[in-house]
Amino acid sequence: MNQSTKKLEIFKLFKKSKKFSIKWSSYFQVYEKIFSKYKNKKIKFVEIGVANGGSLFMWQKFFGKKAKIIGIDLNPNAKKLEKYGFKIYIGSQSDKNFWNNFYKKEGKIDLILDDGGHKNLQQISTVHYSLPHIRDGGKIIVEDTSVSYVKREFYNPSKYSFINYAKNIIDIIHRRSPLLNKNLNFYAKKIFFVEFFESIVVFSVDTKKCFLNKEVKNDAKNEWAIDYRHNEYFRELKSKLDKEYRFLNERGFFRKVTRKLFYRNFLFNLLDNFKIKKIFKEIQK
């Protein structure tokens, strides 16, 4: 066990919980990073996969008395935990009807942590059906995402793995760039950013910050800046053109021509890809 992990408050609370629980050691540093700002706040926290309830007691102590701690599990025995002040729902996280009924009763929530069955459909369903019901400033956290690379039992890697789903969301977030000319779906309008940790993916929700991006300029005068991206393969020629015909940079047609010749050239792109391929091979070692 890492010594710095042992010093974390969340780990100490985990060890002292009155009910049994199992967690991976690297998770506690992630918990401290993403959850600390919610301590002693009036929030709704939902955990999927409560088992014996050990983690529920940990969350109860960590977030404080103002937090409402809710558990979801398939095992009806989990209902016994309600005598300790938790609200427990019994149902399947891959069932759309379960989520509809759940949010009809609970309304908006702040944090939902998926430590459930870990199968692709279960993890994806949790995010997909919960996203519309997360308050701004809230998060969806999915644990044990390493199963997206595990063949036995989980049939991964797969086109339909949770990690591939999360990677698709990265593409969707980029729809907010006007360069893509894409419509914003509800993912693009809800998810402000995504964080990837080892075996944990965090989706941060904030509709106020999910707007279509726009280019802006400040009020200062452009005195000397030249786009040197185009100089890489023909440095002397491009530099000479910039020096002698700099005034043409103010004209859109000239800029398009120089980009085509010196930056978007097909042959240069092939050479770039050859270099990138070598880097890709190195990171797989």
Side-chain angles (χ1 to χ4, degrees), residues 208-228:
K208 297 184 185 69
K209 297 178 180 178
C210 295
F211 49 79
L212 188 64
N213 203 1
K214 293 183 180 180
E215 187 178 69
V216 294
K217 299 178 182 179
N218 66 7
D219 298 328
K221 181 182 178 181
N222 184 359
E223 298 179 56
W224 53 266
I226 295 175
D227 194 344
Y228 270 80

Side-chain angles (χ1 to χ4, degrees), residues 200-255:
I200 294 179
V201 177
V202 181
F203 304 93
S204 292
V205 175
D206 198 328
T207 56
K208 297 184 185 69
K209 297 178 180 178
C210 295
F211 49 79
L212 188 64
N213 203 1
K214 293 183 180 180
E215 187 178 69
V216 294
K217 299 178 182 179
N218 66 7
D219 298 328
K221 181 182 178 181
N222 184 359
E223 298 179 56
W224 53 266
I226 295 175
D227 194 344
Y228 270 80
R229 292 179 299 171
H230 312 311
N231 293 43
E232 186 170 359
Y233 293 107
F234 288 99
R235 290 182 179 87
E236 292 184 8
L237 176 60
K238 182 60 172 57
S239 296
K240 184 176 181 180
L241 287 173
D242 287 333
K243 183 178 180 180
E244 296 186 10
Y245 302 99
R246 179 179 170 184
F247 68 96
L248 290 176
N249 280 321
E250 301 298 324
R251 301 181 182 274
F253 174 76
F254 183 79
R255 288 201 304 272

Side-chain angles (χ1 to χ4, degrees), residues 36-266:
S36 291
K37 71 176 184 178
Y38 300 98
K39 292 172 65 175
N40 301 313
K41 301 284 180 65
K42 188 177 180 180
I43 62 167
K44 283 186 181 179
F45 174 89
V46 180
E47 182 174 39
I48 304 164
V50 300
N52 293 273
S55 57
L56 293 181
F57 288 94
M58 175 184 72
W59 300 125
Q60 189 181 58
K61 292 287 187 182
F62 182 76
F63 288 118
K65 295 179 180 180
K66 295 180 181 179
K68 181 178 181 180
I69 308 299
I70 302 168
I72 296 174
D73 207 282
L74 280 170
N75 190 341
N77 285 329
K79 270 286 186 180
K80 297 176 181 178
L81 294 166
E82 289 192 328
K83 66 182 179 181
Y84 298 103
F86 307 114
K87 179 66 179 175
I88 304 295
Y89 288 86
I90 305 300
S92 171
Q93 66 183 114
S94 59
D95 184 352
K96 179 181 179 180
N97 291 327
F98 167 77
W99 287 117
N100 287 340
N101 293 329
F102 175 81
Y103 286 112
K104 187 176 181 180
K105 293 178 181 177
E106 288 295 334
K108 298 286 186 179
I109 64 170
D110 300 281
L111 302 168
I112 182 165
L113 174 67
D114 181 357
D115 188 20
H118 310 325
K119 290 186 176 181
N120 295 329
L121 178 61
Q122 293 170 324
Q123 293 179 331
I124 292 170
S125 295
T126 294
V127 178
H128 186 69
Y129 296 126
S130 296
L131 184 58
H133 306 281
I134 307 298
R135 289 194 185 102
D136 281 351
K139 298 179 185 294
I140 301 174
I141 304 94
V142 181
E143 292 187 351
D144 298 305
T145 56
S146 54
V147 300
S148 285
Y149 306 95
V150 176
K151 183 175 182 179
R152 186 177 180 181
E153 183 181 354
F154 298 100
Y155 305 100
N156 287 318
S158 162
K159 177 181 178 181
Y160 302 106
S161 72
F162 175 80
I163 285 295
N164 274 341
Y165 165 81
K167 290 176 181 177
N168 283 334
I169 293 177
I170 295 174
D171 297 334
I172 291 170
I173 286 175
H174 280 80
R175 290 186 181 190
R176 298 199 291 265
S177 167
L179 298 177
L180 275 63
N181 195 27
K182 295 272 190 177
N183 292 326
L184 303 188
N185 63 10
F186 87 97
Y187 277 74
K189 293 177 181 178
K190 290 281 290 185
I191 298 175
F192 181 43
F193 63 92
V194 185
E195 295 174 283
F196 289 85
F197 303 90
E198 184 268 306
S199 298
I200 294 179
V201 177
V202 181
F203 304 93
S204 292
V205 175
D206 198 328
T207 56
K208 297 184 185 69
K209 297 178 180 178
C210 295
F211 49 79
L212 188 64
N213 203 1
K214 293 183 180 180
E215 187 178 69
V216 294
K217 299 178 182 179
N218 66 7
D219 298 328
K221 181 182 178 181
N222 184 359
E223 298 179 56
W224 53 266
I226 295 175
D227 194 344
Y228 270 80
R229 292 179 299 171
H230 312 311
N231 293 43
E232 186 170 359
Y233 293 107
F234 288 99
R235 290 182 179 87
E236 292 184 8
L237 176 60
K238 182 60 172 57
S239 296
K240 184 176 181 180
L241 287 173
D242 287 333
K243 183 178 180 180
E244 296 186 10
Y245 302 99
R246 179 179 170 184
F247 68 96
L248 290 176
N249 280 321
E250 301 298 324
R251 301 181 182 274
F253 174 76
F254 183 79
R255 288 201 304 272
K256 288 180 181 179
V257 171
T258 56
R259 285 187 180 187
K260 185 69 175 178
L261 289 175
F262 299 105
Y263 186 62
R264 294 176 177 170
N265 187 293
F266 173 72

